Amino acid sequence: MRIDLHTHSRVSDGTQTPTELVVAARAAGLDVVALTDHDTAAGWDEAAEAALAVGTTLVRGMEISTRHRGQGVHLLAYLPDPEHPGLRAELERIVDGRGSRAPAMLAALHALGIELTLDDIATDGVPGRPHVADALVRAGVVATRDEAFARYLDEGRPAYVDRYAAPLTGMIEAVTAAGGVSVVAHPWGRGRRAALPPDELATLARLGLAGLEVDHQDHDAGVRDELRGLARDLDLVATGSSDHHGLGKTDHELGCHTTAVEEYERLLDRAADAAAASGRPVPAVVTPGS
Ligand code: AMP
Ligand code: FE
Ligand code: FE
Ligand code: ZN
């Protein structure tokens, strides 16, 4: 079984439609794929239909923008009821923050003599920094998405604009209350280690965190080993995934990291427990032929 629990479509900052993503997952030999667009469930229905058509198991998820100790932390949520009032309110607040940030980023670029319009960064969902980065590439200002981040869009660069992110601990509780399970995405990637030292991860585990994304391109081999040990000690599920963004991120091909079947089953068990305790109408795993 090949299981990839973290991917993005055009509904956030990937470059494939949910259908194209699921078809590509099948072609890549994946048996299970999770769609985890940033802060939205908007791609779920299309992806579910495609999964049934091509015969791939689909886990409905999302990657939620949170903040902890002043740093951004991405929280993967699997199988929550997106209509749970607490979860929905926070997702709306995050998406609204993204919407109002886009014009501010364009104004900051304008001040640097770079003219882009909202049309230039339009997308199927809500535009974020990756869409501005792609527009900068198309306009010939930079050669790649990475260069756009390094020169203009990373925190501390001239076109960086802050936006709302939900407090991490409250979000872990909201996901549980919505009947889902949460997993910290790339917890020690890109300098995030300081926000999440082992004692903090232990605290989050007590709050209901279900897992850690261990095998991810942002972690080198040593970090993966450390996180795997920590997951074992804290009784957290250890996942692995590609964080595929279509053509939007290089070196994140579908299935480049995968989740062991025993870990996947533990995650589903925890999700079933959370669903039962919450009483919410949670989405099922889409399983073709059943
Ligand atoms: P936003 O949510 O609009 O702040 O954009 C954050 C997203 O940009 C992340 O989820 C990544 O997909 C992408 N990203 C962040 N840093 C970089 C980078 N240095 N190069 C390419 N993509 C990046
Ligand atoms: Fe992304
Ligand atoms: Fe992420
Ligand atoms: Zn991601």
Side-chain angles (χ1 to χ4, degrees):
M1 284 258 280
R2 298 191 72 226
I3 302 163
D4 185 342
L5 293 180
H6 182 171
T7 71
H8 298 264
S9 77
R10 281 180 59 87
V11 167
S12 62
D13 56 350
T15 58
Q16 294 151 304
T17 63
T19 302
E20 288 166 349
L21 176 80
V22 169
V23 168
R26 183 78 198 145
L30 294 175
D31 303 288
V32 180
V33 65
L35 176 67
T36 54
D37 278 308
H38 294 287
D39 310 306
T40 180
W44 285 6
D45 290 348
E46 184 186 326
E49 207 171 299
L52 287 174
V54 305
T56 295
T57 296
L58 175 82
V59 178
R60 287 177 261 215
M62 56 181 78
E63 184 179 17
I64 304 174
S65 309
T66 78
R67 201 174 299 284
H68 190 61
R69 294 178 157 193
Q71 274 209 54
V73 172
H74 288 177
L75 188 71
L76 292 160
Y78 298 105
L79 304 167
D81 171 13
E83 297 305 318
H84 177 271
L87 177 59
R88 206 180 74 181
E90 280 294 65
L91 292 176
E92 280 172 6
R93 203 169 160 193
I94 295 168
V95 170
D96 285 352
R98 250 186 219 291
S100 53
R101 181 173 66 153
M105 288 192 283
L106 298 186
L109 288 169
H110 172 82
L112 299 168
I114 299 166
E115 304 301 337
L116 294 180
T117 66
L118 281 173
D119 278 344
D120 294 326
I121 61 168
T123 174
D124 291 357
V126 185
R129 283 184 291 163
H131 308 99
V132 177
D134 291 349
L136 287 168
V137 173
R138 282 194 298 273
V141 177
V142 293
T144 63
R145 233 190 216 195
D146 281 341
E147 188 188 344
F149 272 88
R151 283 178 62 184
Y152 299 107
L153 299 169
D154 271 336
E155 225 171 308
R157 303 308 299 162
Y160 176 77
V161 177
D162 200 17
R163 68 180 167 87
Y164 178 73
L168 173 63
T169 54
M171 186 48 81
I172 289 171
E173 290 167 342
V175 169
T176 307
V181 282
S182 50
V183 172
V184 179
H186 40 71
W188 287 356
R190 298 191 186 173
R192 285 190 184 86
R193 195 177 181 131
L196 296 169
D199 61 318
E200 276 301 309
L201 291 173
T203 304
L204 299 179
R206 282 193 295 276
L207 274 178
L209 179 70
L212 300 177
E213 189 178 55
V214 170
D215 292 302
H216 184 282
Q217 287 294 57
D218 289 356
H219 297 150
D220 64 27
V223 166
R224 287 176 207 166
D225 286 346
E226 277 182 87
L227 282 172
R228 212 181 311 282
L230 204 52
R232 201 180 309 114
D233 293 346
L234 297 175
D235 194 30
L236 291 169
V237 176
T239 69
S241 30
S242 64
D243 201 356
H244 182 67
H245 280 68
L247 302 175
K249 257 187 188 174
T250 49
D251 265 350
H252 288 263
E253 293 319 310
L254 285 164
C256 68
H257 295 287
T258 55
T259 299
V261 64
E262 312 80 60
E263 299 294 315
Y264 172 61
E265 282 167 0
R266 283 175 68 211
L267 191 67
L268 292 187
D269 285 347
R270 293 209 184 192
D273 289 347
S278 73
R280 302 294 306 183
V282 300
V285 173
V286 178
T287 315
S290 76

